[in-house]
Amino acid sequence: MVARQETHQGSGAAGEPPEFTAAVASMRRAVLRPEIFCEEMPAPQRIAPYATALSADVTLDGDEVATGRIVVLHDPAGNDAWDGTFRCVAYCRAEIDHALATDPMLTDVGWTWLTEALTSHGAEHTALSGTVTRVATESYGSMAGDGGSAQLEVRASWTPTDAPELAAHVEAWGELLCTAGGLEPVPDGVAVMPSRRGQRGTAL
């Protein structure tokens, strides 16, 4: 798995803070389930002096069941809103059963998937915030036979207190994608091997 860093104009790899370089290397060590295809993506600029980003799709039986991205921001001077120098920003979207879209507990469950994933992977953090959105679509007229569809979206950000060691945070994000996509948990004692697809990219 490869993460690409984006910096403000005028900065380059030679001028990157050691903490950011270590964070990128740590993200590359994250181990994800083989159902996850993870690759680099352009990171947003102008939000922080340094940023890196990954995107991922989860496939089950040939169907894409979840997709998402995680962005890591770094400001060596610190950011009062973050309460730290690093910030993780994550997004997850998954297809869900149409009947579940009206469940009043659905958004609470979706948020629990994230918090439990962070806890189970030992991803130490503070200042966690975000939203969970459910979207239901109905079809009418000539499309009425297509039936309805529904998606669940989780958007969250948190400050990793164990930075620059961020592998656990990437793995927690990967678990969120899999849980939202309906994959069964990996049984205790069963090793998760990294997917070769997730290793694609250009080395830093």
Side-chain angles (χ1 to χ4, degrees):
M1 184 176 62
V2 178
R4 179 174 60 192
Q5 65 271 26
E6 299 286 341
T7 65
H8 283 324
Q9 185 176 4
S11 61
E16 290 169 0
E19 294 82 1
F20 180 71
T21 302
V24 172
S26 177
M27 292 174 69
R28 296 176 62 185
R29 292 194 294 270
V31 178
L32 303 176
R33 290 179 57 160
E35 296 91 346
I36 300 176
F37 170 40
C38 184
E39 61 182 350
E40 66 184 65
M41 65 173 288
Q45 300 185 46
R46 295 183 296 276
I47 298 178
Y50 304 93
T52 184
L54 300 171
S55 66
D57 298 316
V58 181
T59 304
L60 182 62
D61 298 328
D63 296 323
E64 182 182 299
V65 294
T67 186
R69 59 183 177 269
I70 185 168
V71 179
V72 172
L73 308 173
H74 178 53
D75 186 343
N79 187 307
D80 292 340
W82 302 350
D83 190 24
T85 59
F86 281 90
R87 189 73 174 171
C88 296
V89 182
Y91 170 74
C92 166
R93 186 184 76 242
E95 298 291 327
I96 60 173
D97 189 288
H98 188 260
L100 291 176
T102 58
D103 187 336
M105 297 297 294
L106 179 61
T107 54
D108 290 341
V109 171
W111 188 251
T112 299
W113 290 339
L114 171 63
T115 58
E116 290 185 347
L118 289 169
T119 298
S120 66
H121 286 274
E124 300 178 7
H125 63 280
T126 188
L128 174 64
S129 63
T131 62
V132 180
T133 305
R134 51 188 168 192
V135 180
T137 303
E138 302 288 351
S139 300
Y140 298 93
S142 61
M143 297 177 62
D146 295 342
S149 62
Q151 297 84 35
L152 184 73
E153 296 184 349
V154 180
R155 301 174 186 270
S157 63
W158 62 90
T159 298
T161 57
D162 50 358
E165 293 300 321
L166 299 181
H169 297 265
V170 175
E171 291 169 357
W173 164 69
E175 181 178 321
L176 168 65
L177 293 176
C178 291
T179 303
L183 274 65
E184 294 292 332
V186 177
D188 291 339
V190 176
V192 177
M193 300 301 293
S195 170
R196 285 187 177 275
R197 297 186 305 167
Q199 307 299 316
R200 193 175 69 182
T202 303
L204 297 177

